[in-house]
Amino acid sequence: MKTSTLQDVARVANVSTATVSRTLSNPVVVSESTRRRVADAVKATGYRINHAARNLRTQRAHSVLVLLPDLANPFFSAILEGISRVLARQGYSMLIASTQHVHDSGERLIDYLDDARADGMIVLDGGLETDVVEMLAAASQAERILFACEWVEDANFPSVRCENRTGTRIAVNHLYGLGHTKIAHITGPIGNVLGQTRKEAFVAELADLGLELKAEWIMTGDFTLAAGCLAAQEWIAMNDRPTAVFCASDQLAMGFIAELSRHGFKVPDHVSVMGFDDIDLAEQFIPPLTSIRQDRMMIGETAAKMLLARIVTPSEENLERATVLPVSLVIRESTSPP
């Protein structure tokens, strides 16, 4: 059976071979209609792209490395889906790695770019060691490294994030509007940029509302179910229990509620609880969790688009440096008047 060629695809698509080659190697530079015609022609002719030859010719890997702090955390699933969708439409693949294995060596990360295994990098961990961040910032490929969801303070990497401070203020005012004046907070990990930002916004909003905040009402967590369980034990042991608890993540809130349930406490009858993120399980949890929703799919899509723009047109002066996406309040059954 005859192997299909680039010329066969061009003939069926009724375009030049140069257009077919351009579409397959760099689809962002051609129109959507041309991409569809070429894609249909590829399917009709059975043409198979020689990826190794294409990458050698274009000096690109046509892949992007995505770094996660925790591969098991369901929070990242929608972000990865958003990244993957955008990359796939432009002929790029996604590589995934955990930052837990690279904290000791920024060189290992740069090797992905130097060895042409990836054309760019999206980092979803703002807790990289200082020397690793400095090494990435000094790399010749620094403009092709982008932070999403989390970020590094005082670093000049392009980034995508949500309105964390605004979301926290919305959460506090939701609880205050229900009549709660004794509100506690379970934080993210110490040193984590998201946890610190949300904690600072929480403290500031309570001060603006003139509400009391006892030191014991700030409980340290780490975005996990286990940390939420430990915080619940702290709440149970308090002599003066807050009537509402705002958690820095949905997983914290779920662990908190589960542990309270094991001790005979009911949410929201004994305490109102709300989270941040609105992960998929939040709606199905018992009780369904009130949360601050950040559009994780949009975070992923925006990050991928911003990075691809840097890969394709790195010399453009109008490339976005930072994008802040809106959040929204999703009210469910875990919060009620005290």
Side-chain angles (χ1 to χ4, degrees):
M1 189 174 181
K2 179 179 177 291
T3 301
S4 298
T5 66
L6 205 67
Q7 288 74 19
D8 295 326
V9 177
R11 176 177 48 80
V12 174
N14 195 27
V15 296
S16 68
T17 54
T19 298
V20 174
S21 178
R22 197 160 51 244
T23 302
L24 297 179
S25 64
N26 196 7
V28 295
V29 301
V30 301
S31 66
E32 179 65 31
S33 61
T34 299
R35 287 200 295 268
R36 284 198 299 269
R37 287 165 63 187
V38 172
D40 291 342
V42 167
K43 181 183 289 187
T45 60
Y47 177 75
R48 297 181 66 83
I49 301 171
N50 186 328
H51 291 283
R54 180 195 64 176
N55 293 349
L56 184 63
R57 184 176 64 255
T58 62
Q59 293 297 297
R60 287 185 186 160
H62 288 87
S63 63
V64 167
L65 175 65
V66 181
L67 291 173
L68 307 177
D70 182 1
L71 296 180
N73 192 332
F75 168 80
F76 296 109
S77 60
I79 296 179
L80 291 175
E81 177 65 23
I83 294 172
S84 179
R85 285 185 182 183
V86 171
L87 294 182
R89 287 197 295 265
Q90 307 303 333
Y92 280 71
S93 58
M94 178 174 66
L95 308 175
I96 300 174
S98 170
T99 55
Q100 293 182 11
H101 306 300
V102 298
H103 274 286
D104 59 339
S105 176
E107 294 177 1
R108 194 179 308 175
L109 297 180
I110 296 173
D111 282 346
Y112 276 94
L113 303 177
D114 282 343
D115 297 343
R117 284 179 283 172
D119 297 316
M121 189 184 304
I122 297 175
V123 186
L124 297 171
D125 185 356
L128 294 176
E129 299 292 340
T130 302
D131 56 342
V132 174
V133 173
E134 290 176 350
M135 192 173 296
L136 292 178
S140 60
Q141 312 90 335
E143 278 299 312
R144 290 186 279 131
I145 300 173
L146 180 145
F147 278 72
C149 193
E150 298 190 12
W151 64 96
V152 177
E153 295 286 6
D154 302 323
N156 195 35
F157 294 105
S159 65
V160 180
R161 68 187 76 166
C162 283
E163 295 175 331
N164 290 282
R165 294 184 185 278
T166 299
T168 299
R169 294 190 184 100
I170 291 172
V172 171
N173 279 278
H174 167 66
L175 296 171
Y176 180 70
L178 290 172
H180 295 279
T181 56
K182 296 162 60 177
I183 306 173
H185 178 47
I186 308 176
T187 74
I190 294 175
N192 176 272
V193 67
L194 288 181
Q196 186 63 30
T197 299
R198 293 170 189 174
K199 175 185 174 182
E200 291 173 355
F202 174 83
V203 172
E205 192 61 26
L206 256 64
D208 288 346
L209 293 172
L211 299 180
E212 179 185 18
L213 177 59
K214 295 185 177 181
E216 64 178 355
W217 293 355
I218 298 287
M219 296 169 276
T220 301
D222 61 6
F223 293 148
T224 66
L225 293 166
C229 292
L230 292 175
Q233 294 170 15
E234 291 184 44
W235 181 88
I236 292 171
M238 291 179 187
N239 292 321
D240 186 14
R241 295 175 183 148
T243 62
V245 178
F246 166 58
C247 305
S249 78
D250 287 349
Q251 286 208 108
L252 276 172
M254 292 172 184
F256 186 84
I257 292 172
E259 184 68 11
L260 290 184
S261 179
R262 281 190 283 271
H263 288 82
F265 293 93
K266 293 183 178 181
V267 173
D269 295 356
H270 294 106
V271 59
S272 285
V273 181
M274 68 180 299
F276 200 117
D277 296 331
D278 194 34
I279 62 175
D280 295 340
L281 185 56
E283 187 175 8
Q284 309 303 325
F285 198 71
I286 301 176
L289 184 66
T290 296
S291 185
I292 298 298
R293 182 176 188 269
Q294 50 179 331
D295 192 331
R296 293 173 293 132
M297 186 78 74
M298 185 180 293
I299 291 175
E301 292 180 346
T302 304
K305 290 175 182 176
M306 286 177 63
L307 184 61
L308 284 176
R310 281 167 166 72
I311 293 171
V312 176
T313 56
S315 61
E316 294 289 334
E317 296 182 357
N318 59 348
L319 294 174
E320 284 189 82
R321 296 300 306 175
T323 298
V324 182
L325 302 175
V327 296
S328 58
L329 172 65
V330 181
I331 301 174
R332 298 193 179 99
E333 298 172 26
S334 67
T335 53
S336 69

